[in-house]
Amino acid sequence: MKQIAVVGLGLIGGSMAWALRGFEDYEVVGVVRREETAQYALEHGICDRVVLDGDEVLPEADVTFLCMNPTGILDYMKAKKDLFHPGALVTDVCGIKTAIMEGAKVLPDSVDFIGCHPMAGRESSGIEHCEKEMFHGAHFLLTPRETSTPEHVALMERIGSYIGCRDVVKTTPENHDNIIAYTSQIMHIMAVSICDDPLLFKCGGFEGNSFRDVTRVAALDVELWTELFHLNAPALCRIIDRLETTLRQYRQAIEFEDTERLQERLIYDSDRKRRMNEQYPLMLLK
Amino acid sequence: MKQIAVVGLGLIGGSMAWALRGFEDYEVVGVVRREETAQYALEHGICDRVVLDGDEVLPEADVTFLCMNPTGILDYMKAKKDLFHPGALVTDVCGIKTAIMEGAKVLPDSVDFIGCHPMAGRESSGIEHCEKEMFHGAHFLLTPRETSTPEHVALMERIGSYIGCRDVVKTTPENHDNIIAYTSQIMHIMAVSICDDPLLFKCGGFEGNSFRDVTRVAALDVELWTELFHLNAPALCRIIDRLETTLRQYRQAIEFEDTERLQERLIYDSDRKRRMNEQYPLMLLK
């Protein structure tokens, strides 16, 4: 039987292991640090098997999913690089890709690395929040190396499909990080920024769906997101910069009672959104 | 039989009329300008009766819901002020309250006005999108006058309950507008601002739930929102100002790789969100 090692059974790693169970002829082996996590994973059937020491399973693993925080992944690859067998595939689930692909260069040439980012998450972390159906309907983003084998790319595509992703999108690490700064990172920055406002604790009873929706992701995993923002700083700063500029223009049009200018901008932006809805109707579906 | 006149059968007016049907011993009479709207309302059972001329029904109406855009409401009150009978109650459904309450002073002293804002909406406008259950689970915000009769306030409370609102919140127009700038207006400004970014049409395939959620309201009714922003300019500008400051601080921490400062801010803001979730668990439910 072939083996998939899933290193780190947090929210995403646990969900990935769970979703992977039964995939083709692979045994899913969880690698965790804490005895309680191992216990929980076994009791809930999240993996076929759990080990506390990666060294036991990595040499046998055909595929290894690294599911820690970004720096945890980088450190782990450095420390374990000589354990993987030739022809093995290493991958990850991390929300940034350039730094990870760069770090993966530490692996021997005989070991393939394909960056992976299943676009799903929750506002809570830890194995006790993981879900077998976490990835249903999510985009499965892949950043293969130029040297990645077609067999490995095809294997990742079958995995994306098996865990329930809506599609597989292949791109470069740079493009991934640039776009993710826009579709995901800035949404988290806006959510926490809104929660910074003194009115937060005075607004109960006055909230509608837009408030619920925008602030939902603010209860984020601080260590994880500090790393994700930090490791994607240039792209993220460009987006924040542009958002600041647009917000200032809106504020000025409102402040100076320039209703014509305000209306023009609203026509332009709401029309862009309407066109996007038409162009990508599936984008609206959760 | 008593009468409720609903003036303007757009998304909210149509939904209000529909939701009000069968309320106590009231007949629900729609007032519209266009023959097609009247036809649509009758065919879909949105009102008990529809008239094209408000002058026919306002003198008889015990309650009149004004459901046009803000300036439409202000103009209508000026034009029709002498038609209401003494003891009649006039109300509205508009997303700002100070300007409306101010404008309502044009009504004779014998006519009561209670500001009303059911916090619900959709990203589309017009009677063809109205829903009988539009207000289910929404907050029903009321800004009574100091001189409003207890009977009228109680009547509005029964209406809020009948149309399915989760609760009735009474407040001053100033407090309403200040808080709504935060919970609703800034969410719309952020949504359109995000859609202003050049990456909008390049991000298909890379979006997750946070992107869908934040941008959802961007396809807004431009004329309506131009008025809502314009008539709440001071409160809204204060919030945008504070958001700009917070965003800039986040950008600087990220740009200067000040991960300690970034982490501190994320701890502070995400903790506020977690405390709010605990304090207002119902706020999370749609």
Side-chain angles (χ1 to χ4, degrees), chain A residues 195 220 244 251 272 274, chain B residues 195 220 244 251 272 274:
Chain A
C195 291
L220 44 72
E244 282 180 57
R251 178 170 53 73
R272 284 170 67 82
R274 267 181 222 102
Chain B
C195 291
L220 44 70
E244 283 181 56
R251 178 170 53 73
R272 283 170 67 82
R274 267 180 221 102

Side-chain angles (χ1 to χ4, degrees), chain A residues 204-209 211-212, chain B residues 137-139 166-167 273 275-286:
Chain A
F206 292 83
E207 79 289 354
N209 286 340
F211 182 80
R212 271 184 281 272
Chain B
H139 296 297
R166 78 165 72 176
D167 55 16
K273 170 63 172 161
R275 279 192 290 134
M276 196 194 67
N277 290 351
E278 279 163 27
Q279 206 166 319
Y280 302 103
L282 288 174
M283 209 192 236
L284 303 175
L285 303 174
K286 293 201 182 180

Side-chain angles (χ1 to χ4, degrees), chain B residues 84-88 110-111:
Chain B
F84 303 100
H85 68 70
S110 62
V111 174

